[in-house]
Structures are given as C-alpha cells and as structure tokens.
Amino acid sequence: MPIDATTRYCAVYGNPIKHSASPAMQNAGIAALGLNWRYLAFEVHPDDLRSSIEGAKKMNFIGLNLTVPHKLLAVDMVDVLHESDKQWGAVNTIKFEAKDSSGNWLPLREFSDAPREIRSHGFNTDADAITRGCAFDRTGA
C-alpha cells in the first residue's frame, strides 16, 4: 500500500537500533492485515527520549516500542502506567490514546482525525510473555 496522508505510524526507539529486525517483522504483519500503517526504527539517545516520546504523540503515532536502554527510563516519561509497568519497573510498549466524545480513553488507531487531547499509556509486555512462558512450562504442555 503506498504511503499517503492517511498512513499511520508506529516505531521502535533504541540506542543502538540498527540491528533491529522489528521493522521487517512488524511491516510484514501490517501488510498481511491490509493496514495503511508503517513501522519505523529510530535511534534515540537516552537524553532525547522524553522529547522523542512527546514528538511521536504530537505526530499522532499509534504507538511505540522501546528497547535498551529506554525501557527503564520511560517509566517516568509516560502519562499513565499500566499495572505491569508498576510491578516490573520497565516500559517496552507505549500506546497513544485519545478521548472520544463520551470522555472515554481509546487507542489512537480508533480515530480518523487528529484529536487534541492525547496521552501516552505505558505497558510492559516483556514481563507478561516471560511469566506466561514459565507457566506454560510448568504445565508440561
């Protein structure tokens, strides 16, 4: 699908990031789903992480993934922390959300236009995957 004015963006931030296979994997999945989205990789210095998260929020990115060393730093940089972040002390996924006409926070992907009030919601999906994997191993399955 060609990039146009309706194309939505997601990204991974890291330092270094050149080694990341995430864009190839994520863009293959995005294409398979027929979404007009693109997944990008950005090398972000730790000193620039806060402004880079804010920049993605202002540009209506759907969300971000964070890799080393940003996972620990981002805990204090998102507007809302999911319970997983509080428990594990790290953020590896940021979902941008906006309020609908009823005042409910919804994923930014649900909006076709650019809402004015947007927040960053941090998650730790690494910890969930690890704990599920350990539980899976204990069952003998």
PDB file of all heavy atoms in Angstrom, residues 78-91:
ATOM      1  N   VAL A  78       5.860   8.500  30.765  1.00  0.00           N
ATOM      2  CA  VAL A  78       4.535   8.296  30.176  1.00  0.00           C
ATOM      3  C   VAL A  78       3.478   8.920  31.073  1.00  0.00           C
ATOM      4  O   VAL A  78       3.690   9.117  32.274  1.00  0.00           O
ATOM      5  CB  VAL A  78       4.243   6.791  29.932  1.00  0.00           C
ATOM      6  CG1 VAL A  78       5.178   6.237  28.879  1.00  0.00           C
ATOM      7  CG2 VAL A  78       4.341   5.986  31.208  1.00  0.00           C
ATOM      8  N   ASP A  79       2.333   9.228  30.483  1.00  0.00           N
ATOM      9  CA  ASP A  79       1.253   9.866  31.230  1.00  0.00           C
ATOM     10  C   ASP A  79       0.550   8.902  32.176  1.00  0.00           C
ATOM     11  O   ASP A  79       0.123   9.289  33.261  1.00  0.00           O
ATOM     12  CB  ASP A  79       0.229  10.470  30.262  1.00  0.00           C
ATOM     13  CG  ASP A  79       0.844  11.527  29.365  1.00  0.00           C
ATOM     14  OD1 ASP A  79       1.661  12.336  29.856  1.00  0.00           O
ATOM     15  OD2 ASP A  79       0.521  11.540  28.162  1.00  0.00           O
ATOM     16  N   VAL A  80       0.414   7.648  31.744  1.00  0.00           N
ATOM     17  CA  VAL A  80      -0.281   6.626  32.527  1.00  0.00           C
ATOM     18  C   VAL A  80       0.550   5.354  32.488  1.00  0.00           C
ATOM     19  O   VAL A  80       1.048   4.968  31.429  1.00  0.00           O
ATOM     20  CB  VAL A  80      -1.687   6.335  31.929  1.00  0.00           C
ATOM     21  CG1 VAL A  80      -2.387   5.228  32.694  1.00  0.00           C
ATOM     22  CG2 VAL A  80      -2.532   7.578  31.896  1.00  0.00           C
ATOM     23  N   LEU A  81       0.674   4.703  33.647  1.00  0.00           N
ATOM     24  CA  LEU A  81       1.380   3.424  33.714  1.00  0.00           C
ATOM     25  C   LEU A  81       0.388   2.293  33.936  1.00  0.00           C
ATOM     26  O   LEU A  81      -0.441   2.361  34.848  1.00  0.00           O
ATOM     27  CB  LEU A  81       2.367   3.410  34.884  1.00  0.00           C
ATOM     28  CG  LEU A  81       3.696   4.088  34.697  1.00  0.00           C
ATOM     29  CD1 LEU A  81       4.478   4.080  36.001  1.00  0.00           C
ATOM     30  CD2 LEU A  81       4.497   3.417  33.608  1.00  0.00           C
ATOM     31  N   HIS A  82       0.474   1.278  33.117  1.00  0.00           N
ATOM     32  CA  HIS A  82      -0.302   0.064  33.327  1.00  0.00           C
ATOM     33  C   HIS A  82       0.248  -0.641  34.565  1.00  0.00           C
ATOM     34  O   HIS A  82       1.406  -0.451  34.945  1.00  0.00           O
ATOM     35  CB  HIS A  82      -0.177  -0.837  32.083  1.00  0.00           C
ATOM     36  CG  HIS A  82      -1.047  -2.036  32.128  1.00  0.00           C
ATOM     37  ND1 HIS A  82      -0.603  -3.245  32.588  1.00  0.00           N
ATOM     38  CD2 HIS A  82      -2.338  -2.211  31.770  1.00  0.00           C
ATOM     39  CE1 HIS A  82      -1.586  -4.126  32.513  1.00  0.00           C
ATOM     40  NE2 HIS A  82      -2.648  -3.514  32.017  1.00  0.00           N
ATOM     41  N   GLU A  83      -0.550  -1.449  35.188  1.00  0.00           N
ATOM     42  CA  GLU A  83      -0.127  -2.172  36.388  1.00  0.00           C
ATOM     43  C   GLU A  83       1.154  -2.983  36.153  1.00  0.00           C
ATOM     44  O   GLU A  83       1.987  -3.115  37.038  1.00  0.00           O
ATOM     45  CB  GLU A  83      -1.262  -3.098  36.867  1.00  0.00           C
ATOM     46  CG  GLU A  83      -1.028  -3.673  38.233  1.00  0.00           C
ATOM     47  CD  GLU A  83      -0.905  -2.597  39.323  1.00  0.00           C
ATOM     48  OE1 GLU A  83      -1.633  -1.595  39.270  1.00  0.00           O
ATOM     49  OE2 GLU A  83      -0.068  -2.782  40.224  1.00  0.00           O
ATOM     50  N   SER A  84       1.329  -3.501  34.926  1.00  0.00           N
ATOM     51  CA  SER A  84       2.528  -4.286  34.619  1.00  0.00           C
ATOM     52  C   SER A  84       3.799  -3.449  34.748  1.00  0.00           C
ATOM     53  O   SER A  84       4.832  -3.943  35.191  1.00  0.00           O
ATOM     54  CB  SER A  84       2.435  -4.879  33.210  1.00  0.00           C
ATOM     55  OG  SER A  84       2.376  -3.852  32.236  1.00  0.00           O
ATOM     56  N   ASP A  85       3.720  -2.178  34.378  1.00  0.00           N
ATOM     57  CA  ASP A  85       4.887  -1.298  34.493  1.00  0.00           C
ATOM     58  C   ASP A  85       5.235  -1.031  35.945  1.00  0.00           C
ATOM     59  O   ASP A  85       6.396  -1.008  36.330  1.00  0.00           O
ATOM     60  CB  ASP A  85       4.631   0.044  33.813  1.00  0.00           C
ATOM     61  CG  ASP A  85       4.428  -0.103  32.331  1.00  0.00           C
ATOM     62  OD1 ASP A  85       4.975  -1.041  31.751  1.00  0.00           O
ATOM     63  OD2 ASP A  85       3.713   0.725  31.759  1.00  0.00           O
ATOM     64  N   LYS A  86       4.210  -0.808  36.745  1.00  0.00           N
ATOM     65  CA  LYS A  86       4.434  -0.547  38.162  1.00  0.00           C
ATOM     66  C   LYS A  86       5.093  -1.755  38.827  1.00  0.00           C
ATOM     67  O   LYS A  86       5.987  -1.617  39.651  1.00  0.00           O
ATOM     68  CB  LYS A  86       3.117  -0.207  38.848  1.00  0.00           C
ATOM     69  CG  LYS A  86       2.505   1.095  38.371  1.00  0.00           C
ATOM     70  CD  LYS A  86       1.148   1.310  38.986  1.00  0.00           C
ATOM     71  CE  LYS A  86       0.458   2.513  38.370  1.00  0.00           C
ATOM     72  NZ  LYS A  86      -0.925   2.634  38.800  1.00  0.00           N
ATOM     73  N   GLN A  87       4.637  -2.944  38.449  1.00  0.00           N
ATOM     74  CA  GLN A  87       5.162  -4.170  39.048  1.00  0.00           C
ATOM     75  C   GLN A  87       6.597  -4.452  38.618  1.00  0.00           C
ATOM     76  O   GLN A  87       7.425  -4.819  39.426  1.00  0.00           O
ATOM     77  CB  GLN A  87       4.271  -5.359  38.670  1.00  0.00           C
ATOM     78  CG  GLN A  87       4.723  -6.665  39.259  1.00  0.00           C
ATOM     79  CD  GLN A  87       3.795  -7.804  38.879  1.00  0.00           C
ATOM     80  OE1 GLN A  87       2.823  -7.636  38.162  1.00  0.00           O
ATOM     81  NE2 GLN A  87       4.111  -8.979  39.370  1.00  0.00           N
ATOM     82  N   TRP A  88       6.906  -4.260  37.329  1.00  0.00           N
ATOM     83  CA  TRP A  88       8.203  -4.648  36.793  1.00  0.00           C
ATOM     84  C   TRP A  88       9.185  -3.494  36.661  1.00  0.00           C
ATOM     85  O   TRP A  88      10.370  -3.710  36.450  1.00  0.00           O
ATOM     86  CB  TRP A  88       8.022  -5.345  35.439  1.00  0.00           C
ATOM     87  CG  TRP A  88       7.218  -6.590  35.567  1.00  0.00           C
ATOM     88  CD1 TRP A  88       5.911  -6.748  35.211  1.00  0.00           C
ATOM     89  CD2 TRP A  88       7.629  -7.838  36.115  1.00  0.00           C
ATOM     90  NE1 TRP A  88       5.496  -8.016  35.505  1.00  0.00           N
ATOM     91  CE2 TRP A  88       6.533  -8.715  36.061  1.00  0.00           C
ATOM     92  CE3 TRP A  88       8.838  -8.307  36.651  1.00  0.00           C
ATOM     93  CZ2 TRP A  88       6.593 -10.029  36.523  1.00  0.00           C
ATOM     94  CZ3 TRP A  88       8.895  -9.608  37.109  1.00  0.00           C
ATOM     95  CH2 TRP A  88       7.785 -10.453  37.043  1.00  0.00           C
ATOM     96  N   GLY A  89       8.719  -2.266  36.736  1.00  0.00           N
ATOM     97  CA  GLY A  89       9.610  -1.114  36.683  1.00  0.00           C
ATOM     98  C   GLY A  89      10.227  -0.860  35.323  1.00  0.00           C
ATOM     99  O   GLY A  89      11.331  -0.329  35.236  1.00  0.00           O
ATOM    100  N   ALA A  90       9.516  -1.234  34.275  1.00  0.00           N
ATOM    101  CA  ALA A  90      10.026  -1.031  32.919  1.00  0.00           C
ATOM    102  C   ALA A  90       8.854  -0.890  31.956  1.00  0.00           C
ATOM    103  O   ALA A  90       7.798  -1.478  32.163  1.00  0.00           O
ATOM    104  CB  ALA A  90      10.914  -2.188  32.494  1.00  0.00           C
ATOM    105  N   VAL A  91       9.072  -0.105  30.894  1.00  0.00           N
ATOM    106  CA  VAL A  91       8.071   0.108  29.842  1.00  0.00           C
ATOM    107  C   VAL A  91       8.686  -0.309  28.513  1.00  0.00           C
ATOM    108  O   VAL A  91       9.733   0.194  28.145  1.00  0.00           O
ATOM    109  CB  VAL A  91       7.673   1.601  29.753  1.00  0.00           C
ATOM    110  CG1 VAL A  91       6.771   1.862  28.561  1.00  0.00           C
ATOM    111  CG2 VAL A  91       7.013   2.071  31.031  1.00  0.00           C
TER     112      VAL A  91
END
